[in-house]
Amino acid sequence: MPTQRFAHVLTCVLMLSGLAGCSGSPSLTDHSGVQHTPLAGEPGDLVVVVFSSTDCPIANAMAPDIERASIETTEAGGRFYLVHARTDLPDERTRDHASRYKLSMPVIVDRSHTLVKLLGATVTPEAFVLRIDENGGHTVLYQGSVNNLYGSVGNRRVNVTEHHLRDAIRSAAAEEAVVPSRRTPFGCFIERN
Amino acid sequence: MLTLLCCLLANPTAEPDTWSTIAPIVATHCADCHQDTGAAPFPLLCHDDLSRRRRFVAEILRRQLMPPWLPGDGGLPVHDDRSMPEAERTRLISWLEAGAPVGNAAEPPTTITPPEPKALPPGTVTVPLKEPFSIPAETIENEHRHHQDTWTFVMPLENDEPMHVQGVGWSTAAPAAIHTVTLLADDRCRGRNRDDYDPRVGYERDGDLDQDISGSFGALGVGLSRMMLPDGFHWTIPPASDLVVELKYRPVGRELPLRDAVQLVPADPSGSRSVIPVVTGLNRVRLDAGQADYTEEDRFVLPEDFDVVAVLPRGRNECRSMRLTAELPSGEERVLMDIPEWDAHYRRPFVFRNVQSLPAGTTLTSRFTLDNSDANPRNPYDPPEDLRIGRRTGVVCFTLLGAGRSETESQTLMDASKWTMDRRGMKNIPMRTPIPPTPTP
């Protein structure tokens, strides 16, 4: 798949430039100072990455649902990362945001937009459910919205009735196909570097 | 090149915009809410605030989502007009699309100073919430499905004498979460009785009391923390009243404790008239899931002269547009309020710049278009659900605040309005039968 090939080449370039971990996957530090390589792991590992922003009202409104998705991922044996797609976010603000919104998962600030570019994230919140491959790469099982709280930008519903991300996590954890594998996410644009 | 062309078309005589020429537009139309203590979720006070959100802000502007302003071009001039002239909108979008150029790199870009909050007039009475209440992190499913994200509080005034009030305000610790506050005075303990049934702080219903619609004693909305009646008009709060305050909020993903308060700005009642509500609208809506483009209207003939000072629209988000017109006995038709794109989140009162004097015999026509299909992006339910809802006070309606020539005439107007709304909701009267004539007092 051309996109994956490009991502692999990009990873190699990043590795050579020192931005990627020794396995070839980007290595980033979370808000507690712990180092993570979200896209690396054992073959078959389930990894969920949700791009967010501390001041995006759409992403923040979904924080409780994102936290529930994180718990379900961990219970299914997977790893969950919240990634702030901001280049200039101080660690203190990230910690404060995680505390106020009661987020328990590792929170990473993707200051160089490495993960943003590797996965092709466009807005916050945007979720990716991934499976680590035999060759150390990854397969995107689901990409898109967290839930249906927003019908479009500016049009918010009262209730969430469809939990797109959590459904995808359950399907992936049960080794079932994630259908649909893409849903349009509505949110705040990520301004690329 | 295309962006440059757009810039030149929008601003043909000037140099391409830079932050120094764009900042005044942002200061006028955005900074009031987009500041640290404002109703907006992030500040827009410096160049970087816009530059790092330039695609998002441009998209929001292009889709006319900001600044929030419901009335279309056809209505009457009102106070606190937040509409943005198209030329300024185009310039701001073009500047953002051009990469938000700073301009003179030698000088640091200026930062907008947000407007100071308006000082409270002397004699203003502040009534705080008696008990702590927190807005939940997300919408809680409740037994009243049509009243979600709505909470009502009873705030005793303990007034021995009638209070005369020209303005109402609301100060909140959660400006980004609360979007509409509507007030009603209650001297018959009806709010207290409802409150007694709910063991929690406040109660989980709307603020209407019997035939009295919440908002009759003022309302506040996003970015509107005070509503003032024009000179010569006031609300009269009877002795020993409670304020019954309906809060409509939008959860923001985390719990927000409130330390909120109502402010009552006193009026000099001499030579001033007491304001009453007249309501026109639909009090019963039956829409099947998927039903789109449904239009219905209500007519109400004024039995007395009525000087209208403000209009408060109400509607759920199945409503797409609403329009209020007055046909005067002379044959003149006046559009009092035209809302081509209704969004309940931005509901607020509209105080006319000029009092609208409507003579007896004027026909008020309120017209509503509803869409309960999934083509309505604001439909509260996904997938759409059958809508079966009735309220004696109006499901979708306009509350006109104003006064008759005398207290007796005001009372006649109010009674006729209530009678008409109530009668339309009675059983066995189909919705679209002709409205019975207004009773002669």
Side-chain angles (χ1 to χ4, degrees), chain B residues 27-71:
Chain B
T28 303
H29 296 289
C30 314
D32 202 18
C33 291
H34 284 274
Q35 53 170 298
D36 288 338
T37 55
F42 47 78
L44 290 177
L45 296 176
C46 65
H47 173 265
D48 185 54
D49 288 340
L50 280 109
S51 176
R52 66 185 181 81
R53 299 182 178 92
R54 55 188 179 275
R55 282 199 307 142
F56 183 61
V57 175
E59 177 68 8
I60 294 289
L61 288 165
R62 200 179 296 113
R63 295 176 62 178
Q64 309 270 339
L65 295 170
M66 286 283 150
W69 188 245
L70 294 175

Side-chain angles (χ1 to χ4, degrees), chain B residues 332-388:
Chain B
E332 179 197 349
E333 186 178 285
R334 212 177 283 174
V335 179
L336 298 179
M337 184 57 56
D338 180 32
I339 299 178
E341 271 291 325
W342 171 252
D343 183 346
H345 184 66
Y346 295 117
R347 179 186 179 217
R348 51 161 279 178
F350 299 95
V351 180
F352 293 123
R353 284 194 177 277
N354 302 306
V355 175
Q356 298 300 305
S357 296
L358 304 176
T362 296
T363 302
L364 296 172
T365 303
S366 56
R367 184 181 174 89
F368 306 90
T369 301
L370 295 98
D371 180 349
N372 192 24
S373 74
D374 54 12
N376 174 3
R378 278 190 287 275
N379 195 322
Y381 298 102
D382 177 25
E385 296 180 3
D386 290 346
L387 182 63
R388 306 277 184 266

Side-chain angles (χ1 to χ4, degrees), chain B residues 208-254:
Chain B
D208 293 356
L209 296 171
D210 306 326
Q211 290 170 287
D212 296 328
I213 188 167
S214 189
S216 301
F217 282 74
L220 297 317
V222 173
L224 182 77
S225 58
R226 193 177 307 165
M227 175 189 180
M228 291 295 293
L229 295 175
D231 288 343
F233 295 88
H234 67 268
W235 287 285
T236 302
I237 299 176
S241 283
D242 297 327
L243 274 181
V244 177
V245 181
E246 174 192 296
L247 286 191
K248 291 226 176 255
Y249 57 82
R250 175 175 275 186
V252 298
R254 65 188 175 98

Side-chain angles (χ1 to χ4, degrees), chain A residues 55-58 60-65 68 86 88 93 100-102 122 148 150-159 161-162 187-192, chain B residues 41-42 48 51-56 59-60 63 65 137-139 141 145 148-149 250-255 317 343 374 376-383:
Chain A
D55 59 7
C56 173
I58 301 172
N60 283 339
M62 296 182 192
D65 211 27
R68 284 190 284 269
R86 278 269 300 273
D88 57 347
R93 193 137 157 224
R100 284 189 297 144
Y101 285 86
K102 297 181 177 169
T122 55
N148 68 343
Y150 277 79
S152 63
V153 172
N155 293 324
R156 176 171 158 162
R157 298 192 171 93
V158 176
N159 289 333
T161 53
E162 293 180 11
C188 309
F189 293 131
I190 298 171
E191 305 285 349
R192 294 277 188 98
Chain B
F42 47 78
D48 185 54
S51 176
R52 66 185 181 81
R53 299 182 178 92
R54 55 188 179 275
R55 282 199 307 142
F56 183 61
E59 177 68 8
I60 294 289
R63 295 176 62 178
L65 295 170
E138 56 190 332
T139 296
E141 284 277 356
R145 287 204 76 191
Q148 283 184 325
D149 296 339
R250 175 175 275 186
V252 298
R254 65 188 175 98
E255 202 173 287
N317 269 346
D343 183 346
D374 54 12
N376 174 3
R378 278 190 287 275
N379 195 322
Y381 298 102
D382 177 25

Side-chain angles (χ1 to χ4, degrees), chain B residues 84-246:
Chain B
M84 180 185 245
E86 272 314 299
E88 293 188 359
R89 184 183 297 275
T90 307
R91 280 177 60 197
L92 186 47
I93 293 171
S94 301
W95 176 75
L96 290 161
E97 286 176 339
V102 178
N104 186 355
E107 292 177 19
T110 53
T111 297
I112 296 165
T113 306
E116 289 285 320
K118 289 177 195 162
L120 291 172
T124 298
V125 176
T126 299
V127 187
L129 280 178
K130 294 287 183 204
E131 297 172 278
F133 177 81
S134 290
I135 292 176
E138 56 190 332
T139 296
I140 299 167
E141 284 277 356
N142 62 30
E143 58 180 299
H144 301 288
R145 287 204 76 191
H146 298 304
H147 299 158
Q148 283 184 325
D149 296 339
T150 304
W151 216 266
T152 298
F153 302 91
V154 177
M155 303 168 83
L157 292 175
E158 294 167 0
N159 55 320
D160 297 329
E161 302 289 327
M163 291 175 76
H164 304 288
V165 172
Q166 191 177 356
V168 294
W170 181 259
S171 62
T172 178
I178 289 177
H179 59 93
T180 315
V181 180
T182 50
L183 309 176
L184 195 56
D186 173 30
D187 61 347
R188 285 181 274 159
C189 296
R190 294 170 293 171
R192 290 185 191 204
N193 289 340
R194 283 165 172 73
D195 203 3
D196 286 346
Y197 280 104
D198 195 325
R200 296 164 290 186
V201 175
Y203 59 92
E204 189 183 44
R205 281 186 66 180
D206 65 43
D208 293 356
L209 296 171
D210 306 326
Q211 290 170 287
D212 296 328
I213 188 167
S214 189
S216 301
F217 282 74
L220 297 317
V222 173
L224 182 77
S225 58
R226 193 177 307 165
M227 175 189 180
M228 291 295 293
L229 295 175
D231 288 343
F233 295 88
H234 67 268
W235 287 285
T236 302
I237 299 176
S241 283
D242 297 327
L243 274 181
V244 177
V245 181
E246 174 192 296

